[in-house]
Amino acid sequence: MMTLVTTLAVILLLLYLFRLWLMNLQLPARDSTTFAGALYETQETVIAVRERSADARQTIICFPGFLEDMRYFQALYEDTPAQLIICNNAGSHSPFSLAQVQPLDWPRNPYMTGTIEYDGFVLAQVVQHLADGDQLTLHGHSRGGAVVLEAARQFPELMLSKDREVRAILEAAVVPGGTVAGGLSGPIMHRVALFLMPMVLYASRWANTSLILRQPVMRPTNALKIELYMAMFWTLKNYRTCVASAYSIWHWQQLHNADLFQNYRSVVVLQGERDDVLDNQSMAASAERGRRLNPGVRIVKTQNTNHMISLEHPELVRRHTYAAG
């Protein structure tokens, strides 16, 4: 019996030390590509901007989900005449070469890197300083949906301005009162998931395509979805920010309520037919509470989709983007 206890104690100690090493490990970027536009940097965030055509009035601002990089939106809005602004998750590697990046002299961000509050502050600065259209669509995917709502919580007067239309698209979004799929929202399971996360993500950097395709979230699938899903394990600069981001999702959902839906005049909530990352039922319930407070909230349940609707059914997302603007 003592031998078993000692063995378990040694295993747990080694596991803890391995995790501690991972939490302090600085991870290199795998590769980078070019972006047909301007790149800016503010503290921990990279922002890509492609200017609008002369006759376009719309600006589309995008924020990706947990672990995603800004390429999630690149094909979706490749041919848009609108001004396109795509933010990267703070504390993550940019997928684009930063040889020509331009620094931005913006107010110091008061929040901790990795939190929804930090990225919400950045997004509001983007609306204020970079967006030049008089019709704005803020498109957030997954955790990015919470960032869109958080930006309006911090700066409601900016999003409810009478000078221009500002609308939100929340795609398979983290919302107030929502939960993740698979029963990981309870406090004990959440702590276990946070402890194991760096080790799982580290191992996933070498996962092959066949293993990725066995993940439920990959159904339905296509080549672009496979490429971007596999790239998620290489976006991180370190696992400490990643764990902070995962904790922030759980905490933010517990902290806020449907009042946040009132900070936009128009909100489209796009849901996958099934969602193997976030719980569809709690997402719909949150959006329904928001609709009772704000008649401008619309819930759209899509077909043959999962968590990555922009990659699975891009024409549907584009239809709602341009209908909003």
Side-chain angles (χ1 to χ4, degrees), residues 33-53:
T33 185
T34 57
F35 176 74
L39 290 173
Y40 300 94
E41 190 171 36
T42 172
Q43 297 169 59
E44 297 287 333
T45 306
V46 173
I47 303 161
V49 181
R50 194 179 67 222
E51 296 306 328
R52 59 191 169 97
S53 62

Side-chain angles (χ1 to χ4, degrees), residues 57-61 123-124 126-128 131-139 148-149 151-153 155-169 260-268 294 296-297 321 323-325:
R57 300 175 56 198
Q58 188 177 17
T59 293
I60 302 171
I61 307 174
L123 185 58
V126 169
V127 170
Q128 186 171 1
D132 62 14
D134 55 16
Q135 297 175 335
L136 270 61
T137 298
L138 276 63
H139 178 181
V148 168
L149 290 174
R153 185 193 71 81
F155 298 91
E157 70 288 346
L158 195 60
M159 308 309 179
L160 293 171
S161 169
K162 295 179 180 178
D163 297 331
R164 55 186 178 181
E165 300 174 27
V166 185
R167 305 168 186 261
I169 294 180
L260 298 193
F261 286 97
Q262 296 182 93
N263 294 323
Y264 291 95
R265 292 188 180 89
S266 174
V267 181
V268 176
N294 176 7
V297 174
T321 301

Side-chain angles (χ1 to χ4, degrees), residues 50 78 88 118 155 180 208 227 246 279 288 312-313:
R50 194 179 67 222
E78 186 173 19
N88 209 28
Y118 185 102
F155 298 91
V180 298
N208 57 37
E227 177 188 355
D279 177 65
E288 185 57 46
E312 299 153 351
H313 206 333

Side-chain angles (χ1 to χ4, degrees), residues 186-197:
I188 294 177
M189 289 304 298
H190 179 70
R191 285 179 172 81
V192 171
L194 288 181
F195 180 82
L196 295 176
M197 183 175 290

